[in-house]
Amino acid sequence: SLFSPKEVEPLTNKKIICWVGKLNDHKNWQGFLTLAEKISAHRDDCVFWIIGGETASIKATRHLFQEINKRNLHIQWIDRMEYNEMPDLYSLVADSGGCTVSTSKGESFGMSLIEAMACGCPAVAPTVGAIPEIYEGTLQRLTYKLHDLDSCEAIVHRLLDNKEERRTQINSGIKKVKKDYSIHHVVKQYFELLQNLSTVQKVW
């Protein structure tokens, strides 16, 4: 009920490309900066946001600023956002005509991707860890091989410029989340698991 499209007031007339995560090597924020650099070289209708990193060390924070300045990028960094504010963030990104992008080197699940989709925000992601389990059917067109930022850039451009593709991916994302990750579906699976474990225990 928390993660669903919200009505929000626009903060910019440009398309927001958003990255969510901690400032560590595993999440690969450097990859997002490289992507921002590539996109900025071809268009001026985008802004780039990094969400997260409040617990980062001074060394990590300094490294982020150094890399942003070295690449001459304009990045909006929001180091902390409350969990109940995230649906508004994703809705804001979606309404701007933008998307979220993950550059992570590995994910055991991909919670932020599912949350973005639930809010009608397309989420571009690498095919690492458990992420491919989320991206079935047409959603596969939003995935790229890790570090292949040329492919990632092409996906972002398509989402930003092709209204039909964007509409398809938004609808596919919402349907996927409702089908596989809704509370009703998950509780049913959990209950069936408990029943199976109970049966196995009785056998032993």
Side-chain angles (χ1 to χ4, degrees):
S1 59
L2 177 62
F3 284 88
S4 59
K6 310 294 182 184
E7 290 189 12
V8 291
E9 290 292 330
L11 295 181
T12 175
N13 59 358
K14 295 191 175 184
K15 304 177 194 296
I16 303 169
I17 313 299
C18 183
W19 183 95
V20 179
K22 296 181 179 179
L23 298 184
N24 55 35
D25 290 336
H26 170 72
K27 292 295 185 180
N28 187 27
W29 55 265
Q30 296 94 329
F32 181 69
L33 295 189
T34 301
L35 177 67
E37 198 172 17
K38 287 175 172 292
I39 294 174
S40 296
H42 295 101
R43 57 197 307 158
D44 60 2
D45 62 342
C46 297
V47 291
F48 303 91
W49 290 6
I50 290 179
I51 311 297
E54 179 190 26
T55 60
S57 66
I58 295 176
K59 180 180 179 181
T61 302
R62 185 179 295 118
H63 186 198
L64 171 66
F65 290 154
Q66 288 173 343
E67 287 297 316
I68 290 174
N69 291 332
K70 183 172 70 175
R71 299 163 191 253
N72 196 30
L73 290 170
H74 298 284
I75 303 285
Q76 177 73 43
W77 178 39
I78 303 173
D79 66 341
R80 176 183 173 84
M81 183 164 285
E82 297 298 331
Y83 191 64
N84 61 1
E85 295 175 331
M86 293 304 290
D88 288 335
L89 168 73
Y90 292 129
S91 298
L92 191 63
V93 173
D95 285 357
S96 76
C99 63
T100 66
V101 176
S102 169
T103 50
S104 180
K105 296 177 182 178
E107 289 290 343
S108 60
F109 185 54
M111 181 67 78
S112 65
L113 304 173
I114 292 171
E115 291 173 348
M117 288 181 188
C119 296
C121 182
V124 181
T127 52
V128 297
I131 288 178
E133 297 176 21
I134 303 172
Y135 288 78
E136 299 176 332
T138 57
L139 289 172
Q140 291 179 357
R141 297 202 295 263
L142 296 184
T143 62
Y144 65 97
K145 291 183 179 180
L146 181 63
H147 300 313
D148 185 0
L149 294 178
D150 288 336
S151 293
C152 181
E153 181 191 4
I155 295 169
V156 172
H157 285 310
R158 191 165 65 245
L159 278 175
L160 270 50
D161 298 330
N162 187 324
K163 292 183 179 180
E164 185 59 34
E165 172 69 1
R166 181 178 184 82
R167 189 180 304 113
T168 296
Q169 296 299 352
I170 289 173
N171 292 336
S172 296
I174 291 175
K175 288 179 181 178
K176 171 65 177 179
V177 174
K178 286 183 177 179
K179 181 174 77 75
D180 290 346
Y181 305 110
S182 69
I183 188 66
H184 303 291
H185 178 77
V186 173
V187 167
K188 181 181 178 183
Q189 283 189 318
Y190 185 61
F191 183 66
E192 290 173 353
L193 175 62
L194 291 177
Q195 284 184 312
N196 292 336
L197 290 175
S198 177
T199 302
V200 171
Q201 189 176 30
K202 289 178 181 178
V203 172
W204 283 97

